[in-house]
Amino acid sequence: EKIIAGVTPLRVERVLLSDSLGRALAEDLVADATLPPWNNSGMDGFAVRGKDLKGANKEFPIRLTVTRHVRAGDAPGPEIGRGEAVRIMTGAPVPPGTDSVVRVEDTDAESNSGIVQIFDDRDAGANVRPAGQDMRPGEKLLGLGHTITPGAVGVLASAGQGRVLVHGRPRAAVLTTGNELRGPDQFEDVRSGAGIPDSNGPMTSAMVAGAGASVMQLGPSADDEIDLRSWIDEATDCDALITVGGASMGDADLVKRVLDQMGYRSGFWRVRMRPGSPVGFGWLPRGDRLQPVFSLPGNPTSAFVTFELLVRPFLLRLGGHRDIERRRIVCRTEEVIHAPAQLTYFLRVQLSGAGENSRVRLTGPQGSGLVSGLGRADGLAIIKEDVLTIEEDGEVTVMLIGG
């Protein structure tokens, strides 16, 4: 609540429909056309008058005269009369006077050109999609703040939107810190025990992108005040700064010290949660504005969890998105789960089953310095502060984080 209080979505801009994926609509989308524009066929078959089908069966088929063929894009043609049929393709406009489309498999498929035999009357009154079934002028199709998914792109295209009014895409800087960090080009140091991989930089940057924002990946910074300040200055123009590491109480944990020297205004520092307790949020003066700053812990799981809970909703709200929270479901556990400290726990879990049969088990050891379990996690099991143990087959709420 402290983080998103007062957040104003970024300016609006009009972008090509092809560039709108992942953005948030900055206006309601209202239909100004009727779709489909005419009654049309729901399948390949024969358009007929339903009353002409009565009693059709394999022993006594109904024979109708086929007057023409109509395909999608064709005009429907004149009204059909008694005892007539029109061969029709899916999506094609049905001729006036027809109220039914008989599926091909209930016919002889016009084995004798110009005559169709119908062996079943089950499609009387069926398989005709009415005009306006999808949308009508004035109907609200998508609301302000709707996240544009591939399905929403289809709706926008159907509504004739070649360009779309959306909120700006937030730009976040990600700065990792620590003398021990090594990139892929220095992985020999990891093999020899002289360093650890900088997994936080790529992981956090990917999470920024997953929240619909663009990323400036910085660092890693050395555990040195001058170097750290230099990197922070690189992020001046970004909408948010996310530091990872150096947020605890050790002598080399310099992030808060440097931020304080730069006029930092703290919103909070530390949260009663695990993993991720040493996490901070505040604002850094940048000329005539204040830049939101998130200081995440350096352990990979702590960084992951605090981003999910605190940074992701902020970036989504800044980007104008209406829905900023992950979905949560109630599952049953396949094992005993312990939460020994009186803190709110967020444990990595894998899901199996579906619906009321959804079950979860831990991805493995839950140490905050471990990274391998993150790749297997479908969600975070939320263990409330007053719960120390959940027995096997007990209920637990899971925040979904998987694809």
Side-chain angles (χ1 to χ4, degrees):
E1 290 176 352
K2 285 189 174 184
I3 289 169
I4 64 175
V7 173
T8 301
L10 296 176
R11 70 209 174 280
V12 300
E13 56 186 354
R14 201 169 290 278
V15 302
L16 291 171
L17 177 61
S18 57
D19 295 329
S20 67
L21 186 65
R23 305 286 282 271
L25 279 176
E27 62 181 355
D28 291 341
L29 174 65
V30 178
D32 65 356
T34 299
L35 282 184
W38 11 250
N39 295 347
N40 69 98
S41 176
M43 60 176 56
D44 294 346
F46 293 85
V48 301
R49 305 189 319 167
K51 56 188 176 183
D52 287 346
L53 300 180
K54 187 175 180 180
N57 59 60
K58 289 187 176 181
E59 291 185 10
F60 302 100
I62 299 292
R63 291 174 174 84
L64 301 176
T65 301
V66 180
T67 61
R68 61 188 180 277
H69 291 191
V70 179
R71 297 175 176 82
D74 291 346
E79 183 173 350
I80 70 169
R82 180 179 178 183
E84 292 182 340
V86 170
R87 188 154 195 169
I88 195 166
M89 302 295 109
T90 302
V94 297
T98 60
D99 60 5
S100 312
V101 173
V102 180
R103 66 196 75 188
V104 173
E105 50 266 43
D106 284 350
T107 75
D108 68 346
E110 196 184 353
S111 58
N112 293 318
S113 181
I115 299 294
V116 62
Q117 296 191 74
I118 299 174
F119 305 124
D120 200 309
D121 62 2
R122 60 176 171 166
D123 284 336
N127 305 323
V128 174
R129 301 183 295 205
Q133 184 182 42
D134 204 4
M135 61 183 74
R136 295 181 182 274
E139 180 183 355
K140 180 178 172 180
L141 304 176
L142 299 172
L144 173 69
H146 188 96
T147 300
I148 300 177
T149 60
V153 169
V155 177
L156 288 157
S158 296
Q161 301 296 303
R163 301 182 71 88
V164 186
L165 193 68
V166 296
H167 285 284
R169 191 187 301 276
R171 187 168 184 243
V174 174
L175 173 60
T176 53
T177 68
N179 291 336
E180 72 281 9
L181 299 181
R182 302 291 188 272
D185 58 334
Q186 300 170 302
F187 205 75
E188 189 55 45
D189 285 356
V190 178
R191 295 190 185 95
S192 67
I196 63 171
D198 180 14
S199 59
N200 283 332
M203 179 185 72
T204 309
S205 296
M207 296 178 82
V208 168
S214 61
V215 62
M216 172 189 284
Q217 187 169 336
L218 304 174
S221 169
D223 291 323
D224 174 85
E225 292 185 24
I226 295 176
D227 192 45
L228 184 57
R229 181 162 186 157
S230 175
W231 282 114
I232 291 175
D233 284 338
E234 290 286 326
T236 298
D237 295 331
C238 291
D239 297 303
L241 169 63
I242 305 165
T243 66
V244 189
S248 193
M249 300 297 181
D251 292 339
D253 293 325
L254 305 176
V255 170
K256 190 166 188 303
R257 185 187 310 173
V258 172
L259 289 174
D260 285 342
Q261 293 169 1
M262 299 176 71
Y264 178 72
R265 303 180 189 179
S266 179
F268 60 82
W269 200 278
R270 299 185 72 82
V271 175
R272 291 182 55 80
M273 61 184 288
R274 184 168 293 174
S277 173
V279 59
F281 171 74
W283 302 269
L284 189 62
R286 299 291 203 179
D288 59 353
R289 69 185 182 93
L290 292 175
Q291 181 186 55
V293 179
F294 296 86
S295 301
L296 309 187
N299 283 324
T301 295
S302 298
F304 183 94
V305 170
T306 51
F307 185 100
E308 274 289 334
L309 292 167
L310 305 178
V311 187
R312 182 178 182 274
F314 166 83
L315 291 176
L316 289 172
R317 178 59 56 84
L318 190 61
H321 296 267
R322 180 186 61 211
D323 300 323
I324 63 174
E325 298 289 345
R326 292 285 199 185
R327 292 189 177 182
R328 302 184 181 196
I329 62 173
V330 176
C331 305
R332 291 198 172 273
T333 62
E334 293 184 345
E335 59 187 322
V336 177
I337 296 179
H338 296 290
Q342 289 188 325
L343 303 168
T344 302
Y345 278 74
F346 299 88
L347 304 179
R348 290 143 283 165
V349 292
Q350 292 176 283
L351 273 69
S352 61
E356 295 181 355
N357 297 317
S358 296
R359 304 185 70 82
V360 296
R361 66 181 305 106
L362 299 176
T363 58
Q366 294 290 301
S368 61
L370 306 178
V371 69
S372 60
L374 294 174
R376 298 189 296 271
D378 299 309
L380 299 174
I382 304 171
I383 317 298
K384 295 183 178 180
E385 187 171 330
D386 57 350
V387 176
L388 300 181
T389 302
I390 297 179
E391 300 295 339
E392 183 178 349
D393 202 40
E395 286 190 348
V396 64
T397 297
V398 176
M399 184 175 79
L400 301 177
I401 61 172

